[in-house]
Amino acid sequence: MTPDTKPRIGITHGDTNGIGYEIILKTLEDQRILELCTPIVYGSGRMATYHRKGMNLAQVNFVTREDASEALPDEYTIINVVPDDVKIDLGQPTQAAGQAAFAALERATADLRDGKIDALVTAPINKRSIQSDTFVFPGHTEYLESLAGDGSKALMIMVAGNLRVALATAHIPVSRIASTLTRELVVEKIKALDTSLRRDFGIVRPRIAVLSLNPHAGEQNLLGTEESEIISPAIFDAASEKIGAFGPYAADGFFGSGQWKHFDGVLAMYHDQGLAPFKTIAMDSGVNFTAGLPFVRTSPDHGTGYDIAGQGIASPDSMRAAIYEAIDIARRRDAHTERTANPLAKHYHERSRHDASVDLSKSDD
């Protein structure tokens, strides 16, 4: 993707009984999005029409294509991956909806790996109904990590403007958090967050706040020893490699006082520790970004919205933000790759071309 090329953004329809189509259609109502990217929806034209008519939404003119490579820059493309006889049961988690969600995800990720799309935006899924013999993962993040195939480790980062919250542990039971945390794991996550802040967000010298696990940061081992035995040593290890990591900070005061505003990224120890304050601050505009992988994936920071499905009241703000963030991250990655390319190899290549042109001009004499 060149700087003057619009990125091709794949969008999966998610759980077809939820608000996925509603937020996609509302986002694409604004034709100006075509100035920024080429949207390619993986789903069903029939289902899109069903949701649009049922909620009396504005017309979005899709062009059906067999392959993402056929999508044109100034049109909305839809690729049908779901049979026409799949039933829609609004507000209900069903196996059929789970299969439809996986069909879209499977096709889109194949195109992502093949380079037919530049980034992926996923509408929300139901983590239970999507389970099958081919999908045995807690969520999108773990599924995408399994596809990377090169030892890459996914890092979940929630993004809203300058607020970026990453998770040391993600979709695991609370009872397993303390036993899962190790010094090595926390160091790994700090490094991954530092790399993403540089590569994906263009921050030259990131400042990372690391949260404690226990209340009051363990209160000098009175309320737990993980801070002194795991988290603080991990921060020391990261700092010794010139990474700007600080803490551990007690989560309640850290967010409540607005201290997060002084950092480029925050590493929370577990899912709700990071996501509860994040969604309190930025529920309508937050984005879930999967960092650490060779491809870009974002998603709205909310769920399937079964309770409001089909009512036409779902906000598209988070989906819109997810698309914008995917565009920005894809471009920043390209710029970072160009900026950090081996300068000697580039110089040698350019010099060789120059010498060849000189020799060619001499032969013309």
Side-chain angles (χ1 to χ4, degrees):
M1 184 175 66
T2 61
D4 58 346
T5 301
K6 291 193 300 184
R8 301 159 72 87
I9 305 298
I11 305 170
T12 59
H13 63 182
D15 191 292
T16 53
N17 294 337
I19 61 174
Y21 271 109
E22 180 181 352
I23 59 177
I24 291 171
L25 292 169
K26 285 182 175 179
T27 297
L28 300 184
E29 284 178 9
D30 189 343
Q31 291 277 324
R32 290 176 297 180
I33 200 166
L34 290 172
E35 299 173 9
L36 303 174
C37 68
T38 300
I40 302 170
V41 176
Y42 293 82
S44 162
R46 179 187 69 86
M47 288 184 169
T49 300
Y50 176 94
H51 283 270
R52 180 183 64 78
K53 289 184 176 180
M55 291 175 280
N56 196 29
L57 301 178
Q59 176 76 38
V60 176
N61 295 315
F62 286 108
V63 176
T64 302
R65 300 288 185 188
E66 294 295 324
D67 194 272
S69 61
E70 301 171 357
L72 298 180
D74 297 321
E75 67 182 22
Y76 291 130
T77 297
I78 191 164
I79 298 176
N80 289 317
V81 297
V82 180
D84 286 341
D85 59 353
V86 174
K87 185 181 179 183
I88 298 174
D89 292 304
L90 288 176
Q92 300 299 318
T94 65
Q95 184 179 17
Q99 291 174 344
F102 180 65
L105 180 62
E106 185 177 41
R107 177 67 179 275
T109 50
D111 286 353
L112 185 65
R113 287 182 292 166
D114 290 342
K116 294 181 180 180
I117 56 177
D118 298 302
L120 175 65
V121 178
T122 57
I125 59 172
N126 180 296
K127 293 177 175 60
R128 170 61 63 182
S129 64
I130 198 174
Q131 297 296 315
S132 68
D133 292 339
T134 49
F135 191 97
V136 292
F137 306 93
H140 281 114
T141 303
E142 294 81 5
Y143 173 73
L144 292 167
E145 182 180 88
S146 74
L147 296 180
D150 60 355
S152 297
K153 295 292 186 180
L155 177 69
M156 182 187 295
I157 305 179
M158 306 302 290
V159 183
N162 292 327
L163 175 60
R164 307 174 190 91
V165 179
L167 304 179
T169 63
H171 298 123
I172 64 172
V174 173
S175 59
R176 287 174 43 202
I177 294 170
S179 62
T180 300
L181 285 177
T182 64
R183 180 172 178 170
E184 293 74 21
L185 175 65
V186 176
V187 171
E188 174 189 303
K189 298 299 183 180
I190 292 173
K191 288 182 176 180
L193 178 54
D194 179 75
T195 297
S196 181
L197 291 171
R198 295 172 186 271
R199 178 189 182 194
D200 301 322
F201 297 96
I203 300 170
V204 178
R205 294 183 181 85
R207 288 173 52 84
I208 297 172
V210 182
L211 302 185
S212 63
L213 173 65
N214 298 296
H216 307 294
E219 200 75 78
Q220 297 181 325
N221 293 340
L222 179 65
L223 302 178
T225 60
E226 285 81 7
E227 285 71 27
S228 62
E229 296 177 357
I230 296 173
I231 302 173
S232 290
I235 294 171
F236 176 83
D237 292 344
S240 68
E241 297 188 35
K242 302 188 185 310
I243 294 176
F246 307 88
Y249 298 98
D252 56 351
F254 181 82
F255 286 103
S257 66
Q259 197 171 3
W260 61 267
K261 298 176 183 178
H262 302 294
F263 294 90
D264 302 299
V266 181
L267 181 65
M269 292 300 104
Y270 59 95
H271 187 278
D272 284 13
Q273 183 189 53
L275 268 60
F278 177 88
K279 292 187 177 182
T280 300
I281 296 170
M283 182 65 187
D284 290 335
S285 59
V287 174
N288 182 347
F289 166 50
T290 305
L293 302 182
F295 36 75
V296 175
R297 175 259 174 171
T298 65
S299 178
D301 71 346
H302 55 71
T304 55
Y306 287 145
D307 57 326
I308 59 171
Q311 298 178 33
I313 60 175
S315 170
D317 290 351
S318 188
M319 171 58 79
R320 186 181 299 111
I323 293 175
Y324 291 162
E325 200 68 58
I327 295 169
D328 289 342
I329 291 172
R331 291 199 180 282
R332 291 192 202 107
R333 279 198 178 185
D334 283 349
H336 182 270
T337 300
E338 174 68 20
R339 189 168 58 250
T340 58
N342 187 338
L344 292 178
K346 183 178 180 181
H347 174 75
Y348 177 80
H349 177 68
E350 292 178 346
R351 178 73 187 204
S352 297
R353 288 194 304 174
H354 173 72
D355 292 344
S357 66
V358 170
D359 291 342
L360 183 61
S361 65
K362 286 182 179 179
S363 65
D364 287 341
D365 290 339

